[in-house]
Amino acid sequence: MQKLGMQKLGLSVVACAAALFATGVQADSSDPIKVPIHNWSSQVVGAHIVGKLIEKTGNEVEYVSADSQVVYTSMCEGDIHLVHEVWQGAFGVAFEKVVAEDCVIDAATHDAKTREEWWYPEYVEELCPGLPDWQALNACAAKFSTPETEPKGRFLAGPVDWLKHDSERVEGLRMDFEVVNAGSAAALWAELESASKRKAPVVLFNWTPNFIEAIYKGKFIEFPAYAEGCREDASWGVNPDKAYDCGNPKDGYLKIGVWKDMPKQWPDAYRLVQNINFTNLDVAVMAKLADVDEMEPEAAADKWLAENEDRWKNWLKPTS
Ligand code: TMO
């Protein structure tokens, strides 16, 4: 359904671009800046923070529900104008491809350092000695089995559009696990809560910064260290015949990407966007406001803005 929406959007943007050529552009355009809404909470809250700041530059914002992989193609085509949470682990490949094609600008790097990886709550260590090492996990794979995956262990992955290549990794490292995708982030947290109450073995996808670390003790699985080449080059790593025989980046970047014509079409908004800089705490707080405090995204964004006025006022100052 989201993909269909994207195609329709593509058409209207072609018309829009044609009109733009005809008139020429000097001041910030009156067209709205299109900001995607994805399927994890810090992003949804942060999109409204970024959107509200853009509005302070006198521009309009339109929020568009978007698949978190397809969005890079959409941004390349000018259908979407800004992605403010580009996680290296999940989206680095898609993002770097469109940057290399010169249709997307790598506009800013947040201070936040990110990690996205298989994760378990602390009590699982008693059931499976040797954790967080991946081989120790694999040695007790059967303990993680469910009727669906028996006799293999279940790895509960995120929604498919986060494209974590978990099945490729299971194959690359010859693990006795089967990947089951959760339908939503909320489904991951519900499963974690239920397993924790029963002290049942569970290994699932998690990331940092996130609100989870404020509520649960736990650790990421340590796979063979990520390195350039592991994802593309089969000969790299412990399995000479398969790619993805490594973990995700541990100190991954969090970036902001924008459509190549944003600096021309919305120069004031672009100046602001280059100054936006979220820390680990910011991203964790955005997730917490939504997932723990159960605030609506707009109200959560207002709260964050009220508590960080000194910072964003500086981001809005024109640089001379
Ligand atoms: C992109 N994500 C933070 C959900 O891993």
Side-chain angles (χ1 to χ4, degrees), residues 2-259:
Q2 280 175 343
K3 281 188 189 155
L4 266 176
M6 281 294 162
Q7 276 164 4
K8 265 191 255 154
L9 231 129
L11 289 175
S12 67
V13 164
V14 171
C16 207
L20 219 94
F21 264 123
T23 54
V25 178
Q26 263 123 44
D28 275 16
S29 157
S30 61
D31 296 336
I33 295 174
K34 289 185 182 155
V35 174
I37 299 290
H38 295 317
N39 53 357
W40 66 98
S41 59
S42 66
Q43 196 278 341
V44 180
V45 173
H48 284 86
I49 292 170
V50 170
K52 283 167 185 279
L53 290 175
I54 288 174
E55 282 167 359
K56 292 183 196 293
T57 68
N59 287 288
E60 268 180 51
V61 174
E62 187 180 326
Y63 299 97
V64 184
S65 287
D67 177 288
S68 63
Q69 294 290 334
V70 178
V71 76
Y72 294 96
T73 317
S74 307
M75 186 159 51
C76 180
E77 290 165 357
D79 290 0
I80 290 286
H81 305 126
L82 174 155
V83 175
H84 81 279
E85 268 199 24
V86 183
W87 291 66
Q88 182 178 1
F91 314 120
V93 172
F95 173 67
E96 286 163 33
K97 178 168 175 283
V98 289
V99 169
E101 287 168 11
D102 286 331
C103 52
V104 164
I105 300 170
D106 178 348
T109 303
H110 298 284
D111 277 350
K113 291 279 180 231
T114 61
R115 186 170 183 187
E116 302 158 83
E117 196 56 275
W118 294 29
W119 182 95
Y120 59 87
E122 196 173 47
Y123 63 82
V124 172
E125 282 185 353
E126 283 157 39
L127 314 168
C128 189
L131 288 179
D133 179 72
W134 71 275
Q135 284 163 305
L137 176 72
N138 202 37
C140 56
K143 291 190 179 160
F144 296 85
S145 79
T146 63
E148 198 180 356
T149 67
E150 228 168 15
K152 291 188 175 174
R154 177 191 64 167
F155 169 63
L156 185 63
V160 275
D161 70 310
W162 298 349
L163 207 72
K164 303 306 304 177
H165 298 284
D166 295 306
S167 301
E168 286 91 335
R169 184 190 288 163
V170 162
E171 232 184 280
L173 293 174
R174 299 197 184 93
M175 295 177 78
D176 299 317
F177 272 85
E178 205 170 302
V179 176
V180 176
N181 286 98
S184 64
L188 285 175
W189 314 142
E191 186 70 20
L192 172 59
E193 190 184 354
S194 127
S196 293
K197 279 191 186 137
R198 292 175 285 125
K199 297 269 182 285
V202 67
V203 56
L204 72 162
F205 181 65
N206 186 14
W207 59 86
T208 184
N210 196 357
F211 76 95
I212 289 292
E213 58 221 62
I215 302 179
Y216 295 93
K217 283 192 179 159
K219 285 190 191 139
F220 290 111
I221 296 290
E222 297 294 342
F223 287 105
Y226 169 82
E228 212 61 51
C230 164
R231 290 168 169 181
E232 303 85 30
D233 180 1
S235 69
W236 187 99
V238 295
N239 185 336
D241 304 318
K242 298 273 183 196
Y244 291 99
D245 45 352
C246 66
N248 287 304
K250 278 191 191 179
D251 279 305
Y253 61 65
L254 188 70
K255 282 179 179 284
I256 305 181
V258 306
W259 176 45

